[in-house]
Amino acid sequence: MSKPPLTLYMAAPRGFCAGVDRAIKIVEMALEKWGAPVYVRHEIVHNKFVVDGLRDRGAVFVEELDDCPPDRPVIFSAHGVPKAVPAEAAARDMLFVDATCPLVSKVHIEAARHSEAGLQMVMIGHAGHPETVGTMGQLPPGEVLLVETAEDVATLAPRDPDRLAFITQTTLSVDDTAEVVAALKARFPAIVGPHKEDICYATTNRQEAVKAMAPKVDAMLVVGAPNSSNSKRLVEVGTRAGCGYAQLVQRASDIDWRALDGIASVGITAGASAPEILIEEVVQAFLERYDVTMDQIVTAEENVEFKVPRVLRQAG
């Protein structure tokens, strides 16, 4: 039987960003340097395949520092941690390595700088997300007010409406965030914004590629984890940009083939914490079922690289 024809559009950039790449490398280098087990507070990045692979090599994933023995190294995840966490680790004389993405650390520094200048912070982010928890935890309770939507802005009760600054989670929808920022500026004209926007280059680039791809395809698959903020945003961006069917899949086994019946083109992208091997697995699943023509949608080139902490680069 001949296979039905299908055009497969691959978004570029897609998959791993520099912050995720660095965080995974930190765990791998820590295992090489100190041996197993190495403890990791929270998932190092939001991807089950990556976490399971590191667990197989001797990484132990825990929720809190209390779950770590004092004589083994502990690594903080790429999403960042509240200030109290490294302070507690230092008080317990623990060996710890911070794998917080440098672009998240930039937001932490920004929040501290505004706070020192006497401004109360408004954070645009998702309640309960590790990055939001970590960023809000850089300042004392009450110093950071959280908004998720433009509607939330109406209920904000700041100390002084003329002494505010805003920051954002790095993995938000660019368009949704612009709406919230517009609402903040309309209600609080004196509010101070970041020098350079907080949504990271990788999130922005992946969303732009999806916007370019969405009108060309009948369906779109986003390879990523259900707890990955930037992956879920790609599904939303694809739908909003005109793609009739967008689905988040962790593995090729999650693809709903019945939903794709009769289509002529599919777009594939991946969240910033999804490894290329999972993207290749999805492509292979299509090659087995269809007579595939491959095409690329390239909207940006990425060559960002972040150094790992000095403690891991030192010998011994």
Side-chain angles (χ1 to χ4, degrees):
M1 257 179 76
S2 63
K3 298 175 184 176
L6 180 82
T7 303
L8 215 51
Y9 288 95
M10 305 298 295
R14 62 176 181 271
F16 275 3
C17 64
V20 164
D21 203 41
R22 173 181 179 269
I24 294 166
K25 206 176 285 177
I26 285 171
V27 180
E28 291 171 341
M29 289 174 75
L31 285 164
E32 283 169 26
K33 181 164 184 166
W34 294 303
V38 164
Y39 286 75
V40 185
R41 186 185 178 277
H42 292 174
E43 291 188 349
I44 187 70
V45 297
H46 282 156
N47 188 275
K48 185 179 185 300
F49 180 86
V50 171
V51 168
D52 287 348
L54 292 171
R55 189 181 282 120
D56 290 344
R57 293 172 63 175
V60 179
F61 293 89
V62 297
E63 285 306 302
E64 297 300 341
L65 279 186
D66 290 344
D67 304 321
C68 304
D71 60 340
R72 295 303 302 164
V74 60
I75 296 167
F76 304 146
S77 83
H79 308 101
V81 294
K83 228 175 186 173
V85 175
E88 184 192 337
R92 289 171 57 186
D93 283 330
M94 298 175 82
L95 174 59
F96 63 90
V97 184
D98 190 355
T100 301
C101 172
L103 298 179
V104 174
S105 297
K106 176 184 86 71
V107 180
H108 291 182
I109 292 163
E110 218 176 317
R113 186 169 50 80
H114 285 312
S115 182
E116 283 163 16
L119 303 180
Q120 190 176 17
M121 301 304 306
V122 177
M123 178 163 190
I124 306 169
H126 296 295
H129 187 279
E131 186 187 329
T132 300
V133 172
T135 301
M136 292 181 72
Q138 299 304 303
L139 299 177
E143 286 305 304
V144 187
L145 307 173
L146 181 66
V147 293
E148 294 197 50
T149 65
E151 289 72 32
D152 292 343
V153 173
T155 59
L156 270 182
R159 231 183 358 251
D160 180 348
D162 296 322
R163 301 286 293 156
L164 287 175
F166 73 88
I167 50 175
T168 80
Q169 191 178 321
T170 62
T171 54
L172 301 178
S173 156
V174 174
D175 296 334
D176 288 348
T177 304
E179 288 176 19
V180 183
V181 169
L184 282 170
K185 287 179 175 176
R187 187 168 170 216
F188 307 109
I191 197 165
V192 178
H195 286 307
K196 188 175 183 296
E197 74 167 351
D198 294 334
I199 295 175
C200 81
Y201 78 94
T203 297
T204 304
N205 287 349
R206 279 148 192 71
Q207 289 180 20
E208 287 303 317
V210 162
K211 286 178 188 175
M213 188 166 67
K216 298 176 183 289
V217 298
D218 300 325
M220 185 183 298
L221 299 183
V222 177
V223 182
N227 60 341
S228 163
S229 172
N230 76 85
S231 300
K232 290 197 290 188
R233 300 296 81 77
L234 291 176
V235 175
E236 295 167 4
V237 169
T239 302
R240 196 176 290 177
C243 181
Y245 176 84
Q247 182 192 13
L248 182 69
V249 295
Q250 292 199 76
R251 304 288 299 263
S253 55
D254 297 331
I255 298 170
D256 183 355
W257 296 105
R258 285 173 302 177
L260 302 180
D261 197 36
I263 59 164
S265 57
V266 173
I268 294 178
T269 188
S273 48
E276 190 66 21
I277 191 170
L278 297 187
I279 303 162
E280 290 166 6
E281 181 186 273
V282 167
V283 170
Q284 190 56 42
F286 277 97
L287 291 170
E288 287 166 9
R289 289 168 174 81
Y290 293 90
D291 178 15
V292 172
T293 302
M294 302 285 288
D295 205 343
Q296 288 246 58
I297 304 283
V298 182
T299 54
E301 298 284 340
E302 290 180 354
N303 52 13
V304 180
E305 198 175 328
F306 296 131
K307 283 183 178 175
V308 299
R310 188 181 289 114
V311 67
L312 292 171
R313 289 183 269 132
Q314 291 166 339

